[in-house]
């Protein structure tokens, strides 16, 4: 298994970062694999994958670059630069474009686990990778970025509250399959037999993405390391946030949407992030639902989490909604 040695100083500097470049790379991985994690992703794939497949068929070099760079066990490192806080998509993709050709070729050989195909023995690989990511961003991610960003920020709120409740070990254990706090300052990052890395004094970044079947690690040695992980499925799944028509007619669509989401406990900030409603509107909906006995609240560390009561569950079920969305 692969693991990182993390001292107290590194853990104290750890923080969550939202990265539009990593979100775009995760979407490219999903387009390449063609496998969805929930109904919302299936709809997204149905919309965008046919054009992606046509693009790959029209350019065999790009097709081989994607297939080689997004390996089953390892991504080519130049495709996954560790993000910086506040970094825009343009700034992130510029780092990929600036990769030296020989570095890109070496990284691809590692992700392939063998010899680089002759087709990829060329100097324009960083430019091709950057252009392809720009196309995915422009066509398939940026039109929906505001919703995606709210979902990612809501996940950060949830994980931060989890730190206050159970400490960093609880958060790190739950990030993604293969990630686990081992004790003795060791963080398991995957199940692959890679040598351990010493992160003393470095920054550890935790980077959520919405695609549910993807995640990876990245670094900019020696100062920055990143764990990219799928955010909570209940937040990412558009299908899970469908408001039944009967429930919407009874409570109003916005208030019914809040009640539907609360099959999973959420804070006010999370609800604002996921729904796109203002803080005042969400607060008024919660007050009405509390007064009606349809939701309850409890304190978790510094956060107040809201969830449906049994009466709220019955109402959602009767309205034709799901009684709860798995976390």
């Amino acid at each position: 298994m692969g693991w990182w040695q993390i001292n107290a100083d590194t853990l104290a500097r750890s923080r969550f970062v939202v990265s539009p470049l990593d979100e775009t790379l995760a979407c490219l991985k999903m387009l390449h694999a063609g496998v969805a994690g929930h109904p919302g992703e299936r709809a997204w794939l149905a919309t965008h994958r046919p054009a992606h497949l046509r693009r790959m068929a029209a350019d065999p070099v790009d097709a081989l670059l994607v297939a080689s760079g997004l390996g089953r066990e390892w991504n080519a490192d130049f495709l996954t630069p560790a993000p910086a806080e506040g970094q825009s998509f343009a700034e992130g993709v510029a780092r990929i474009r600036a990769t030296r050709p020989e570095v890109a070729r070496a990284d691809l050989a590692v992700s392939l686990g063998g010899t680089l195909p002759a087709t990829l023995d060329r100097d324009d690989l960083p430019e091709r990778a950057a252009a392809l990511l720009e196309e995915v961003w422009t066509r398939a991610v940026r039109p929906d970025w505001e919703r995606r960003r709210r979902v990612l920020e809501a996940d950060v709120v949830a994980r931060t509250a989890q730190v206050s409740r159970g400490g960093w070990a609880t958060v790190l254990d739950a990030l993604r399959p293969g990630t686990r706090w081992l004790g003795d300052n060791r963080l398991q990052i995957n199940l692959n037999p890679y040598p351990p890395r010493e992160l003393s004094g470095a920054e550890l970044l935790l980077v959520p993405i919405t695609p549910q079947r993807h995640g990876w690690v990245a670094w900019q040695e020696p100062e920055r390391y990143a764990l990219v992980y799928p955010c909570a499925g209940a937040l990412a799944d558009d299908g899970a946030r469908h408001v039944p028509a009967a429930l919407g007619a009874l409570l109003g669509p916005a208030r019914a949407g809040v009640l539907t989401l609360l099959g999973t406990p959420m804070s006010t900030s999370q609800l604002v992030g996921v729904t796109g409603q203002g803080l005042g509107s969400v607060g008024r909906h919660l007050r009405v639902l509390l007064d009606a006995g349809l939701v309850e609240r409890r304190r978790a560390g510094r956060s107040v989490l809201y969830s449906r009561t049994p009466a709220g569950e019955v109402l959602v079920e009767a309205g034709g909604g799901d009684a709860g969305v798995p976390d």
Side-chain angles (χ1 to χ4, degrees):
M1 69 185 171
W3 56 274
W4 291 346
Q5 188 78 30
I6 299 176
N7 62 14
D9 187 42
T10 297
L11 202 56
R13 298 176 65 192
S14 301
R15 63 186 188 277
F16 293 89
V17 172
V18 172
S19 168
L21 177 63
D22 286 310
E23 179 75 3
T24 303
L25 181 61
C27 287
L28 176 59
K29 288 171 72 71
M30 186 162 58
L31 288 169
H32 174 62
V35 180
H38 55 65
E41 288 186 352
R42 283 197 291 274
W44 185 86
L45 279 173
T47 299
H48 296 290
R49 194 162 191 255
H52 173 74
L53 293 177
R54 290 193 297 271
R55 169 81 161 76
M56 294 296 95
D59 193 330
V61 176
D62 277 3
L64 186 57
L65 171 60
V66 171
S68 302
L70 305 181
R72 290 186 176 182
E73 295 186 354
W74 197 258
N75 299 318
D77 285 349
F78 83 99
L79 296 176
T80 59
E85 190 166 9
Q87 180 177 273
S88 67
F89 173 81
E91 291 167 336
V93 82
R95 294 171 61 190
I96 293 176
R97 184 172 269 117
T99 304
R100 297 195 311 275
E102 65 273 18
V103 171
R105 290 192 293 268
D107 288 348
L108 286 166
V110 172
S111 65
L112 280 169
T115 304
L116 189 72
T119 304
L120 296 181
D121 188 11
R122 50 195 302 148
D123 288 345
D124 63 346
L125 299 178
E127 173 59 37
R128 282 177 171 271
L132 181 57
L133 284 165
E134 286 171 338
E135 184 173 325
V136 174
W137 165 255
T138 301
R139 295 187 176 183
V141 179
R142 187 171 62 185
D144 193 32
W145 174 243
E146 286 307 306
R147 181 195 66 82
R148 290 175 182 269
R149 181 182 56 77
R150 291 196 301 267
V151 169
L152 297 172
E153 290 174 349
D155 184 86
V156 170
V157 171
R159 307 283 179 177
T160 303
Q162 195 177 12
V163 171
S164 67
R165 295 196 304 272
W168 273 108
T170 302
V171 173
L172 295 171
D173 279 348
L175 280 182
R176 63 189 182 95
T179 300
R180 187 163 61 95
W181 184 252
L182 300 173
D184 296 326
N185 295 329
R186 295 177 302 152
L187 172 63
Q188 177 182 308
I189 58 168
N190 54 42
L191 300 176
N192 298 321
Y194 298 123
R197 287 176 175 267
E198 172 64 55
L199 272 64
S200 296
E203 292 180 318
L204 175 61
L205 305 178
L206 307 176
V207 187
I209 52 174
T210 65
Q212 292 295 286
R213 293 179 176 267
H214 303 286
W216 59 86
V217 295
W219 49 74
Q220 182 178 326
E221 293 183 301
E223 66 269 18
R224 186 181 305 135
Y225 292 76
L227 267 172
V228 180
Y229 68 92
C231 69
L235 298 176
D237 184 1
D238 279 332
R241 299 200 295 277
H242 172 71
V243 178
L247 190 62
L250 178 65
L251 299 177
R255 188 167 297 151
V258 170
L259 182 62
T260 302
L261 280 166
L262 290 177
T264 298
M266 291 188 183
S267 68
T268 303
S269 297
Q270 284 179 275
L271 288 166
V272 168
V274 175
T275 63
Q277 301 179 42
L279 180 61
S281 296
V282 169
R284 286 191 293 273
H285 296 322
L286 288 171
R287 171 49 58 193
V288 171
L289 295 170
L290 280 166
D291 290 345
L294 300 177
V295 303
E296 59 188 1
R297 63 185 175 188
R298 62 181 175 83
R299 180 165 290 280
R302 293 187 226 176
S303 298
V304 176
L305 300 181
Y306 295 83
S307 59
R308 290 199 297 258
T309 62
E313 299 284 359
V314 169
L315 187 59
V316 171
E317 287 180 352
D322 198 347
V325 180
D327 195 355

